[in-house]
Amino acid sequence: MSEETSAATQYLSFILAGEEYALGILRVKEIIEYDTVTRVPGAPVWVRGVFNLRGSVVPVVDLTVKLGLPPIQLTRRSCIVVVEVKQGNEDIVLGLLADAIGQVIELGPEDVAPPPAFGTPVHVDYLLGMGRVGTARKFILLLDIDKVLSGQEVLSATALRAPPGEETERPTGKVA
């Protein structure tokens, strides 16, 4: 393995409100088809609800709402990206609602440009940078999930529990 290859980082891209974003692949545990999410009264507006992940209650974060974008309209392509977020010495599991999954991309340090000071659809502090993909002129916004979800917000989201018999939400089946 060359030094160039070892310095490259893999990212998982996904679509939010028509734009392509990416997270470091090492933060992603799995990708799940959106099925049933139970709303939780009193949850922050950016928490869509909770779902059952093999017996564990996992909060689902609507990143579009958290980032100040229009809320996701559920379709058959909607999915949940299960990630681990560091909170002190503890890894906390959260689901991130996405419009659709993109691809796994590999970017070297030379492929990542600093985010512009203005003109991005999300707050610049939430971005690690802008990833240049291939020879195309396309950029992918690289999210810093630890900054998007602060420690206190992660704690409040993980404290959620679905009330018994609470109404659930399912995708409409329409393809955008």
Side-chain angles (χ1 to χ4, degrees):
M1 179 179 290
S2 72
E3 281 189 34
E4 287 180 354
T5 303
S6 65
T9 303
Q10 289 187 321
Y11 297 87
L12 173 69
S13 73
F14 51 91
I15 309 300
L16 295 175
E19 295 288 333
E20 194 166 9
Y21 294 82
L23 289 173
I25 197 93
L26 296 177
R27 304 301 290 272
V28 177
K29 290 181 58 105
E30 59 188 289
I31 302 164
I32 299 174
E33 181 181 341
Y34 188 92
D35 185 18
T36 302
V37 172
T38 303
R39 292 186 185 269
V40 178
V45 294
W46 46 269
V47 174
R48 194 76 170 226
V50 295
F51 77 105
N52 183 345
L53 180 64
R54 293 181 287 283
S56 297
V57 177
V58 176
V60 177
V61 174
D62 187 336
L63 273 180
T64 57
V65 175
K66 182 69 179 125
L67 296 173
L69 303 169
I72 287 180
Q73 298 298 316
L74 296 175
T75 68
R76 291 185 305 173
R77 297 179 64 202
S78 298
C79 58
I80 297 171
V81 180
V82 180
V83 298
E84 284 185 341
V85 177
K86 293 265 184 222
Q87 178 63 43
N89 294 330
E90 188 179 351
D91 290 329
I92 297 176
V93 177
L94 294 172
L96 305 177
L97 183 59
D99 287 326
I101 290 297
Q103 58 187 331
V104 175
I105 56 174
E106 191 169 297
L107 299 173
E110 69 280 359
D111 300 322
V112 178
F118 64 94
T120 60
V122 300
H123 195 283
V124 172
D125 290 343
Y126 294 159
L127 298 175
L128 290 171
M130 309 283 286
R132 259 184 236 106
V133 180
T135 57
R137 295 181 182 187
K138 177 180 165 184
F139 281 102
I140 293 179
L141 302 165
L142 305 176
L143 284 178
D144 184 343
I145 197 65
D146 291 326
K147 288 186 179 172
V148 173
L149 300 169
S150 71
Q152 187 61 39
E153 291 172 331
V154 170
L155 288 177
S156 67
T158 56
L160 298 174
R161 298 289 181 257
E166 185 63 29
E167 183 176 316
T168 58
E169 177 184 61
R170 292 180 177 259
T172 60
K174 292 186 277 183
V175 176

